[in-house]
Amino acid sequence: MDVQDFWNNRELLFASSSAASAVIIGLMMFMAYRLIAGNRSSAFRLLLLALSMLAVYHGLALADGLNLLEGRSVPQLSGILYIAAFVALNFAFFELYYRKRARTRAWFYGLLAVGVTIAVCNLLSATGQPVAGLADAVTRERTNLLLALEDGYVLLLSALFAVMFAPHLRQRTRYAVSLCFAFFGQLAAFLTRDFGASSPILDLMSAILPVFYYIVLFMILFERVVELMQTAYRSSITDGLTDLYNRRFFTARLEKSLEHAGQDAVGAIFCDIDDFKKLNDTKGHQAADVVLKQAAAILREETEGIGLAGRYGGEELVAFVHSASPDASAVAERIRSRIAKETIVTVSVGCALSKPGVKAEQLMKNADEAMYRSKRSGKNRVSLYDQL
C-alpha cells in the first residue's frame, strides 16, 4: 500500500490516528504515575484518570476502525468517555499550576455533568427501541440532533478553556495552540458526522489534529515535570527564607573548591548579625526575617561569580571565595560595610584562609572563631583568623 492509498483509506487513517494517540497518551500516563508516586497532589490523580479514559477511548476507536467491534453503542459510549476525559484533562493541566478552589471545583462538576448528560442521552437514543407512534425518520432525526449537540459541546469547551485557563498558565502559548488543534479537529469531525460533509481534507484534519493536540499536551506536561524536578532539587539545597544555599550543600561545594584549589588559598567568610535576638524581641519576627533577607541578598551579590553564599542557621550567614578570586578580607569588608549602610543592623564578620590539606569544616570553624573575635572587640567589624 502506497501513501496515496493510505490517505484514501478512511478506516486505516483513523485507526492509525488512534494508535498514535494511544502511544502519546501512554507516555503521559507514565509521567503522571511517576508524579503521583512522588507527590500525592489531586491534580496528578485527576490527570491520570483523564488519560486513562482517553486511553480507553482511543482503544475503542482503534478496535472500531479495524472492525473488531460490533454494535451501534460503541461510538456513543466513546462519546461519554471523550467528553469526561476532555473536561478532566484540561482541569488537570490547570491544576498543575494552581490549587483547586471552590469555584474551580464548581465549574468542573458543572461542565462535566452537562457533557455527560448530553452523551448519555445520545447513547440511550441510539441504543433504545423506537417509541411507539414515532417513525424511524423522526427517531433518526432526534439521534442526529443529540450527536450534533454532543459534538458542538466539545467545540464550546475548547473555546471556553482557551478563555478560562490559557491566560493563567505559564505555558499559555502552547496550551492555546493545543486547544486550537482540538477545536479544528473536532470541527472537522462535526462537519463530517453531523452535516454529511465528505472531503479528504476534513478526514485528514479530524484524524491528524487530535494527534497534534496530544503532542503539544505532552510537551506541556514534560516541561512541567522538569520544572517540578528543578524546584524540588532547588528546595533541597537552599534555605527557604533567604534562598541561600543550606549548610550541607554549602559545605559540600566548599570541600570541592578546596580540592581544586591545590596550593592556593580559599577564603571563608562567617557573618553573624549583631543583637539579632534583641531585634526579634523588639520589632518581631517579621522585621527580623526582612533583615535576614536583605543581608542574604548582599552576600549573594558580593560573591556572585567569585564564590558562594549560604546560611548556616539562625542569623549566621556564610560565604567563600575561590582561590583565584579577589582577597577574601576585602570581600568580607564590603559585605560588612553594605549591611551597615543598607539595613538597620550590623554584622560581626570573621575571615579565614585555607591551607593545604585543611577540610571545609575546619576552615569554617576558623572563620567562626574569627567572627567571635569581632564580637568581643566591639562588633560591626572584620577579623582575620591568622591575626588571632
Side-chain angles (χ1 to χ4, degrees), residues 30-49:
F30 176 76
M31 284 195 289
Y33 173 77
R34 296 300 300 169
L35 287 170
I36 291 175
N39 190 321
R40 297 293 179 178
S41 171
S42 61
F44 304 140
R45 293 195 294 269
L46 181 62
L47 177 62
L48 184 59
L49 175 62

Side-chain angles (χ1 to χ4, degrees), residues 267-282:
I269 301 170
F270 202 112
C271 305
D272 187 273
I273 299 177
D274 299 325
D275 302 315
F276 190 74
K277 185 178 184 303
K278 182 179 179 180
L279 176 67
N280 259 319
D281 295 338
T282 57

Side-chain angles (χ1 to χ4, degrees), residues 44-71:
F44 304 140
R45 293 195 294 269
L46 181 62
L47 177 62
L48 184 59
L49 175 62
L51 291 171
S52 300
M53 289 189 290
L54 282 173
V56 174
Y57 166 78
H58 284 288
L60 289 173
L62 177 60
D64 192 39
L66 297 176
N67 297 318
L68 299 178
L69 296 177
E70 294 182 1

